Amino acid sequence: MAVGNSPFPVMPPLAGVRLGSAMAGIKKPGRRDMVVIELPASATVSGVFTRNAFCAAPVSVAKAHIERCREQGQAPRYWLINTGNANAGTGKQGLHDAYASCKAVAEQAGVAEHQVLPFSTGVIGEPLPMERLLAGITPALASGADNSQAWQHAGEGILTTDTRAKGASVTTKVSDGSVTINGITKGSGMIKPNMATMLGFVVTDAAIEQSLLDRLLRETVEASFNCITVDSDTSTNDACMLAATGTGAAIEDDEDIAVFRDALQQVMTSLAQAIIRDGEGATKFVTLQVDDAESRQEALDVAFTVAHSPLVKTALYASDANWGRILAAVGRAPVADFDVDRIVIDLADVRLVEEGGRAAGYTEAAGSAVMAQDEITIRISLGRGQESATVWTSDLSHDYVSINADYRS
Amino acid sequence: MAVGNSPFPVMPPLAGVRLGSAMAGIKKPGRRDMVVIELPASATVSGVFTRNAFCAAPVSVAKAHIERCREQGQAPRYWLINTGNANAGTGKQGLHDAYASCKAVAEQAGVAEHQVLPFSTGVIGEPLPMERLLAGITPALASGADNSQAWQHAGEGILTTDTRAKGASVTTKVSDGSVTINGITKGSGMIKPNMATMLGFVVTDAAIEQSLLDRLLRETVEASFNCITVDSDTSTNDACMLAATGTGAAIEDDEDIAVFRDALQQVMTSLAQAIIRDGEGATKFVTLQVDDAESRQEALDVAFTVAHSPLVKTALYASDANWGRILAAVGRAPVADFDVDRIVIDLADVRLVEEGGRAAGYTEAAGSAVMAQDEITIRISLGRGQESATVWTSDLSHDYVSINADYRS
């Protein structure tokens, strides 16, 4: 199940970027489960990673390799991604396997080991099936191409319980010509990122120096992947990567930075929302907009408290205009000295709550009409300040339980 | 669905305490939905209430009436409880209705208005059906009795989505004779208390002065009702009341206080656990024991993070020894500087995690054997200090979704 149509977009080729994939039998036979993304030597690369204390072996290795590349003044040249196995909770063996995977790619591609970054997603705690993974590297490298289909195959090759590949592409004009940003992402459960999402891989042909690229990634992730939640569970493997290949226009002056930032935010937000639209068992795509908070953190706290409430999520699933549950969730948010008389809650354009209780003009019919829709906006004004936050979430359905009672993640 | 057998216990009579109930048609016709508990004029009464900012009208009125009784040196004499309607999110009308309900009981019983404390549970945001509620007061008062059946009827008359009445009784010897503690509770969803639970009503015949009674209630609730969670949602109406009628032995010296405290803790813990055993859709009763934490708060944070994880809860439902999800949940708990190599996780007597990954001796067969049981203990040692906490929770099943997608709470 998924909310809305999201056909995979056409992805323009990016010079020097090739995407290969293979069916290595890691997840199950007959489906793409390994992806190799090749970047040119001119690329600059930034990454943000999970804050889960039990971070997976590939997260540790990717961070170490990025560090090493920076020390050596070399570009990370290959992103090696497998699904079907997260290589998390696997201790020393897991680290050994992640390093060995990078080494195998490096040898076949003729780059240094630290120029290969590993990413894994799937079941936690099982050792990586190294024989099958290593056997998949040759065909994955050999299939490398820069066309839109290669991007789509890569998008398919990183999925776990996702029902569809997720991509976004924006081309925008800057002073020195135009730049393109292509991205793919995966994730539909264990989604409450903290610092990054499940897996996101974004590449632009723009030329952007390292510290600016780092900042742009951090800022755009903050308002996209860090503002979505399916089930409040942060994964051990979350990572979002951004590469600027430098083959296209340079992004240097303030105006170009602003234009590029907007385009990048558009790609990031579109990818993040695609995860929620494909949330496990999702039948609704819900936007929580909290306004008039004292701080952005306060606005986020309220939004996530409502977004995580199983009772709100089941009411959304039932298309039940159960505003009492929204009110109860807002009321238990970790905010000191709430003045409930100042809180206003709207369901789309229908006022639910004001002056501490049900809004005078509210009718069940009006509320139900909104709740029957697939895409719903809940707007909560706290009446305390000027800050806002927007969070996206899905509902809690029978299918969510089925998927997670059946699937070993 | 509910976990384990929990027959309603035999409740010894307490002098001067009478329990009446009625079928007022507030929830639905033909079931008890109103309860009146009468206390003697010698009673001392303590209460703890929800910290939800949108607290319900009866919570505000009960607190105000307790305050008034203390100022006047009078005992609260009646607890008036209805199910089927929470009188929450009802603004000024809700307050008016709560006061009017108390007034009606006061007039018929010949006490002051502030000697009546109101409690409501059920759907949020609908006005109280006052005509039916007021009509129920006379039969509820008339049916007042002190026998065990009256306690059981009262236990039934406060339920919402609960599948069974929940009671506990302990009689214990103290220096001046013996004392009895009887309690009933309700709740099975919207359960993540903060300061109190859904509704709990506990009465003892002991004689205990006000400040000691306040302290004993606070302390025993902290380790019982405040350590349970079904779905992380704190209600607008949570309240736990404790009355000491003073008709029995006095609890004054340190030794008696310790004995009484143990007995009270036993009643509170038994009632709190009964809520989890009857958690919405529950098929498992799960104990989360966190040890070797730096502080009790840290231990509670880890326990609740695991207890609230939808992925852990669905794995429990599936009887799937998916220790990776437990590890991932522990890893995202809000604890600074986790050293994952020191964390040890046991499922009953089976070691799951040590040294940052799966324990060396772990076998899937051993894990699955534990997960197949109805009652499961997960023990997490953080290796950071001396503090502990125990939290009880249930699993997340299809029935939880069905109950909450169908029920208007």
Side-chain angles (χ1 to χ4, degrees), chain B residues 214-284:
Chain B
D214 290 348
R215 177 165 70 81
L216 288 171
L217 175 61
R218 237 180 12 248
E219 289 176 0
T220 54
V221 161
E222 188 54 42
S224 57
F225 290 115
N226 280 355
C227 286
I228 58 173
T229 182
V230 170
D231 49 15
S232 80
D233 274 304
T234 308
S235 148
T236 47
N237 292 56
D238 296 343
C240 184
M241 302 301 299
L242 172 62
T245 63
T247 60
I251 304 297
E252 288 167 343
D253 69 40
D254 285 354
E255 200 174 319
D256 281 346
I257 291 173
V259 169
F260 182 83
R261 193 187 181 290
D262 283 352
L264 182 62
Q265 187 69 67
Q266 209 177 315
V267 169
M268 292 295 191
T269 301
S270 172
L271 292 175
Q273 291 186 353
I275 288 179
I276 296 303
R277 288 178 189 282
D278 195 24
E280 286 174 348
T283 74
K284 307 273 180 182

Side-chain angles (χ1 to χ4, degrees), chain B residues 157-231:
Chain B
I158 62 176
L159 306 180
T160 49
T161 57
D162 310 58
T163 67
R164 58 195 184 195
K166 303 167 183 67
S169 178
V170 169
T171 299
T172 189
K173 281 189 184 162
V174 292
S175 53
D176 194 20
S178 76
V179 295
T180 293
I181 308 170
N182 288 348
I184 54 173
T185 193
K186 64 84 42 179
S188 63
M190 206 183 257
I191 293 284
K192 193 320 191 155
N194 191 350
M195 187 60 191
T197 180
M198 300 305 288
L199 295 178
F201 301 98
V202 180
V203 184
T204 176
D205 53 0
I208 305 178
E209 61 89 16
Q210 186 73 60
S211 65
L212 176 59
L213 194 71
D214 290 348
R215 177 165 70 81
L216 288 171
L217 175 61
R218 237 180 12 248
E219 289 176 0
T220 54
V221 161
E222 188 54 42
S224 57
F225 290 115
N226 280 355
C227 286
I228 58 173
T229 182
V230 170
D231 49 15

Side-chain angles (χ1 to χ4, degrees), chain A residues 75-136:
Chain A
R77 295 291 307 284
Y78 290 88
W79 294 340
L80 171 67
I81 312 141
N82 74 273
T83 181
N85 184 308
N87 194 11
T90 44
K92 289 187 183 61
Q93 184 64 43
L95 287 170
H96 179 269
D97 290 345
Y99 279 115
S101 310
C102 294
K103 189 176 175 205
V105 173
E107 281 172 357
Q108 293 188 41
V111 298
E113 232 179 283
H114 58 263
Q115 290 181 289
V116 183
L117 309 182
F119 304 90
S120 297
T121 182
V123 62
I124 297 176
E126 302 292 330
L128 266 187
M130 285 303 287
E131 199 174 333
R132 278 172 279 162
L133 188 141
L134 293 176

Side-chain angles (χ1 to χ4, degrees), chain A residues 211-231:
Chain A
S211 65
L212 176 59
L213 194 72
D214 290 348
R215 177 165 71 81
L216 288 171
L217 175 62
R218 239 182 7 251
E219 289 176 2
T220 53
V221 161
E222 189 54 42
S224 57
F225 290 114
N226 279 355
C227 286
I228 59 173
T229 183
V230 170
D231 49 17

Side-chain angles (χ1 to χ4, degrees), chain B residues 39-116:
Chain B
L39 303 169
S42 57
T44 307
V45 172
S46 293
V48 284
F49 296 92
T50 182
R51 286 180 180 154
N52 194 304
F54 279 104
C55 80
V59 169
S60 300
V61 174
K63 284 174 165 178
H65 279 184
I66 289 173
E67 194 58 34
R68 190 80 197 283
C69 282
R70 293 196 184 180
E71 286 165 12
Q72 308 273 320
Q74 292 174 305
R77 295 290 308 283
Y78 290 88
W79 294 341
L80 171 67
I81 311 141
N82 75 272
T83 181
N85 185 308
N87 193 11
T90 43
K92 288 187 184 58
Q93 183 66 41
L95 287 169
H96 178 269
D97 290 345
Y99 280 115
S101 310
C102 294
K103 189 177 175 205
V105 172
E107 281 172 357
Q108 293 189 42
V111 299
E113 232 178 282
H114 58 263
Q115 290 180 291
V116 183

Side-chain angles (χ1 to χ4, degrees), chain A residues 14 44 178-181 203-208 243-251 260:
Chain A
L14 300 170
T44 306
S178 77
V179 295
T180 294
I181 307 170
V203 184
T204 176
D205 54 359
I208 305 178
T245 63
T247 59
I251 304 298
F260 181 84

